[in-house]
Amino acid sequence: MRILSLVADFLDERTGYRALVRHALDEPIRGGARWAYVFGSALLAVFVMQLATGAALMTSYSPGDKTAWASVHFIQFVQPGGWLVRGLHHFGAQAMVTLLAAHLLQVATFGAYKRPREVTWWIGLVLFGLVLGFALTGYLLPWDQKGYWATRVATNIAGTIPMVGQTQQVLLQGGSDYGNLTLTRFYALHVFVLPGAVVLLVAIHVTLFRRHGVTPSSRADLTRVEAFYPAQLARDVAAAALVLGMVTALALRAHGAPLDAPADPSSDYPARPEWYFLGLFQLLKYFHGPLELVGTVVVPALVAGYLFALPLLDRGKGTALRARVRVLAPLGFVALAVATLTAQAVREDRRDPAFQKERTRADERAALANRLASGGVPPEGPLAMLRRSPEVRGPELFDKHCAGCHALGDHGTEKDRTAPRLDGWSTEAWIREMLHEPDGDARFGRTSFKGEMPSMDVKPADASEAWTPMSKEDVLAASTFLFAEGLEPGDDGPRDGAPRSTAGAAVLARGREIVTKRCTSCHTFGGEGDEGGTGIAPELRGYGSLMWTKAQIANPSSPSAYREQALDRDRKGHMPRFDAELTESDIELLARWVRARARGTPLRTPQVGLTLSEP
């Protein structure tokens, strides 16, 4: 203790820190300590936490359109403790907005904007705007779908401001469109410009606050004066600890912060801002065309103008709330309107099936992207990773090129379908149903091939006496054999009750015999068959395999698929060829996805030389 005392005396002699501490702790509080005064200290505590967690995140973050998402993924899922730091920073930002709104309302209620505290109030309003700027610039830094599209909406709104809007938007974006310069500019604003401005203004704000002191409640006993220490300090510390505890609890509950799929300018995304901007988002729904300016500029400008002018409008001497109801009524209306609009936005989204479907797909894409990135992100960036994944690229290609005619799972619709449903396609069950009723509605009943193939186990009305239906055992053997033709290394073998021992080999041998002798009257197998020369029925060698599926997508009239007559001009509604529209890579990705989705088997992504998802 003697050594500590000597060190303290040494430092005090040279710095005078004890006088500074006494000055801070002995601040007189007229009317006594109150819980209503804790918001400023809680805000300061959260801001310090934001500086600390932000600095930690900067050590691993890489601000580039090809590296930002991968570096955030590394922080969230790979770096030890990174998820917690990111979660604290994410929820800390939301806490700052909430605390600032509460602080603003408390100051207004107590009349702390009145003379001589006008400048303190105005600096507080600027700080509010800077904190919203923090939130807006921080949105974009992960370079994910949510941040990208929400920020595009915000900058488009900024672009509607008369005279300066377009110039302002170009300056923010770093050009006419979003890209690497946009990200680096937002990063510079977020980690340098805004923190510097906030630190400077907070110092001025606190200095002015100390100069004029707290504004006591109109009901406070002004004869009572307490020092800041210990009563008010204890309240401030308790409030700060409570807020930081809640932020930590939220970060632990969410295991960090959400990370959406990588930003993709060419995709569709159900863009929504964070909850504290939802009120403005909802407001814009009520103004269209020429009136859009009312929602983007006029209403926000009126609110900002009212808040700035509040100390000038309220010139009375007292701070009693009842005497100031009229001048504070617009503030109450704004607060109620923001809450109502926010609730309405949430309610409409919950009741919108189309939005919920889009949101579900976006969440699935995000989960898939994060899972894929655990195996590495290529140097070309996360979008290249997604483009190489059949799980991501497959459904996109299917929706664009196939869903207009086919249906597979929740892709495509029964109303628009003109081609077979592909659920279960090339499985034993699907083939058995095809052999039984090829013209069924889920098979070829809606196509130009209807009537081309008879049932194999039910004798057609116009069949000759020599025609015999397949037995149940023969249908099973043929379907088992054709299913096995489509197997790839790693796929499951014959199933649906087919034995896997010597009897299994016997079933496959019987199936091969049926296919090569009975089915090749119309089909070909290994290029041989089609005794009638129709040139329509598909090649059965490798039916349902990856190579067969790729050939069918690229050109259904190739010898490997439905052969030369499949695209005959007289056969309207046939499947077109896509080798002119799709690259070989996209054809393979689509084929892999269709096979896996139809068969209900795991989808394996080809290895493409990935790198670790480190920044």
Side-chain angles (χ1 to χ4, degrees):
M1 292 298 294
R2 175 63 178 167
I3 294 177
L4 291 178
S5 178
L6 291 174
V7 171
D9 292 340
F10 175 86
L11 292 175
D12 183 55
E13 181 181 357
R14 287 154 181 81
T15 64
Y17 78 91
R18 283 173 174 158
L20 293 175
V21 171
R22 283 195 298 269
H23 177 70
L25 297 181
D26 292 344
E27 175 194 357
I29 301 177
R30 291 195 306 153
R34 287 180 177 271
W35 286 104
Y37 303 149
V38 302
F39 294 108
S41 296
L43 265 170
L44 188 59
V46 176
F47 180 61
V48 171
M49 183 194 72
Q50 291 298 91
L51 291 177
T53 55
L57 292 172
M58 287 173 63
T59 62
S60 298
Y61 177 72
S62 179
D65 59 352
K66 291 181 174 58
T67 58
W69 187 89
S71 67
V72 175
H73 181 275
F74 173 78
I75 293 169
Q76 176 69 31
F77 297 102
V78 180
Q79 191 173 47
W83 63 270
L84 180 58
V85 175
R86 183 165 176 262
L88 292 173
H89 198 74
H90 173 79
F91 290 105
Q94 301 189 30
M96 285 197 70
V97 175
T98 304
L99 288 170
L100 262 172
H103 189 40
L104 184 147
L105 292 174
Q106 179 267 320
V107 169
T109 302
F110 276 53
Y113 53 80
K114 298 170 70 68
R115 181 180 179 181
R117 299 177 177 85
E118 299 96 331
V119 176
T120 310
W121 168 260
W122 291 330
I123 290 177
L125 293 180
V126 175
L127 284 170
F128 199 165
L130 291 177
V131 168
L132 294 179
F134 264 122
L136 180 62
T137 54
Y139 263 177
L140 189 64
L141 299 189
W143 203 245
D144 63 355
Q145 287 282 71
K146 180 175 183 178
Y148 178 87
W149 289 105
T151 310
R152 287 201 72 147
V153 171
T155 53
N156 287 338
I157 291 175
T160 64
I161 299 175
M163 300 180 66
V164 299
Q166 290 300 317
T167 301
Q168 179 178 255
Q169 186 174 3
V170 170
L171 286 174
L172 285 172
Q173 292 177 178
S176 59
D177 205 353
Y178 267 54
N180 194 65
L181 283 177
T182 314
L183 182 58
T184 54
R185 291 189 181 196
F186 274 61
Y187 182 63
L189 288 170
H190 192 75
V191 305
F192 179 72
V193 177
L194 291 175
V198 168
V199 169
L200 176 62
L201 290 178
V202 165
I204 298 174
H205 191 73
V206 172
T207 300
L208 293 176
F209 171 76
R210 292 299 303 271
R211 174 183 175 84
H212 302 298
V214 300
T215 302
S217 168
S218 59
R219 299 179 180 179
D221 179 7
L222 299 184
T223 62
R224 179 187 175 192
V225 178
E226 290 183 343
F228 177 75
Y229 174 83
Q232 189 60 49
L233 178 61
R235 287 172 170 81
D236 287 2
V237 170
L242 177 62
V243 172
L244 294 179
M246 293 175 64
V247 169
T248 303
L250 290 171
L252 292 172
R253 180 182 180 185
H255 195 75
L259 180 61
D260 219 315
D264 185 357
S266 64
S267 67
D268 293 326
Y269 183 80
R272 293 293 186 275
E274 283 287 1
W275 61 266
Y276 39 82
F277 285 130
L278 272 179
L280 179 59
F281 175 81
Q282 183 68 18
L283 177 67
L284 297 180
K285 295 180 182 180
Y286 305 123
F287 299 98
H288 306 282
L291 294 178
E292 184 180 17
L293 198 65
V294 175
T296 59
V297 177
V298 175
V299 172
L302 288 174
V303 173
Y306 162 74
L307 292 174
F308 181 85
L310 185 56
L312 307 178
L313 297 174
D314 188 1
R315 308 295 291 180
K317 294 183 178 180
T319 59
L321 181 60
R322 181 174 299 180
R324 296 182 295 116
V325 168
R326 182 175 300 177
V327 75
L328 289 180
L331 179 60
F333 174 78
V334 169
L336 180 61
V338 169
T340 303
L341 289 170
T342 301
Q344 183 64 19
V346 173
R347 188 181 304 112
E348 287 184 4
D349 282 347
R350 286 178 177 173
R351 296 177 179 178
D352 185 351
F355 171 79
Q356 291 299 327
K357 183 177 181 180
E358 291 176 354
R359 184 65 261 169
T360 299
R361 288 193 177 184
D363 291 341
E364 291 173 351
R365 182 183 175 93
L368 177 56
N370 284 309
R371 180 167 59 80
L372 291 173
S374 64
V377 177
E380 300 90 338
L383 288 183
M385 173 192 74
L386 296 181
R387 284 194 296 268
R388 295 172 182 174
S389 168
E391 292 178 89
V392 176
R393 188 67 175 150
E396 292 177 352
L397 292 169
F398 188 91
D399 287 340
K400 183 176 181 180
H401 299 283
C402 310
C405 299
H406 291 279
L408 175 56
D410 59 349
H411 299 269
T413 64
E414 280 298 301
K415 178 182 177 181
D416 300 325
R417 183 173 64 83
T418 59
R421 280 201 70 90
L422 296 179
D423 298 271
W425 170 72
S426 78
T427 62
E428 292 161 285
W430 195 94
I431 295 170
R432 284 200 302 269
E433 186 62 29
M434 182 70 183
L435 294 173
H436 170 68
E437 189 181 8
D439 288 343
D441 183 71
R443 303 295 180 269
F444 288 93
R446 301 187 186 185
T447 74
S448 58
F449 290 90
K450 183 178 181 179
E452 295 285 357
M453 177 178 173
S455 170
M456 292 290 101
D457 60 353
V458 177
K459 186 174 183 177
D462 57 351
S464 65
E465 292 296 327
W467 193 95
T468 57
M470 283 188 183
S471 65
K472 182 178 180 180
E473 290 75 16
D474 284 352
V475 169
L476 174 63
S479 62
T480 301
F481 173 73
L482 289 175
F483 169 74
E485 280 294 300
L487 292 176
E488 297 287 336
D491 285 348
D492 292 335
R495 53 190 178 186
D496 285 4
R500 296 172 188 257
S501 58
T502 305
V507 169
L508 290 174
R510 175 58 181 162
R512 182 185 182 91
E513 179 183 1
I514 295 170
V515 168
T516 54
K517 289 186 176 180
R518 181 159 186 170
C519 299
T520 52
S521 59
C522 298
H523 293 269
T524 57
F525 187 83
E528 298 181 1
D530 190 10
E531 299 167 2
T534 63
I536 294 176
E539 164 69 51
L540 295 181
R541 181 66 175 170
Y543 176 75
S545 66
L546 179 62
M547 292 302 297
W548 192 98
T549 310
K550 288 166 57 178
Q552 173 69 4
I553 295 171
N555 181 8
S557 65
S558 69
S560 301
Y562 268 75
R563 301 186 295 127
E564 65 274 7
Q565 299 300 319
L567 301 188
D568 191 281
R569 293 183 178 181
D570 295 333
R571 189 177 296 281
K572 297 180 179 180
H574 57 65
M575 178 174 168
R577 59 189 298 177
F578 289 99
D579 50 358
E581 298 181 47
L582 301 176
T583 64
E584 290 185 13
S585 174
D586 278 347
I587 289 174
E588 172 154 351
L589 292 174
L590 177 58
R592 285 182 179 274
W593 182 80
V594 168
R595 287 187 72 254
R597 184 65 182 268
R599 290 175 167 232
T601 57
L603 185 57
R604 297 183 302 278
T605 301
Q607 297 300 311
V608 289
L610 300 178
T611 62
L612 288 178
S613 56
E614 298 188 17

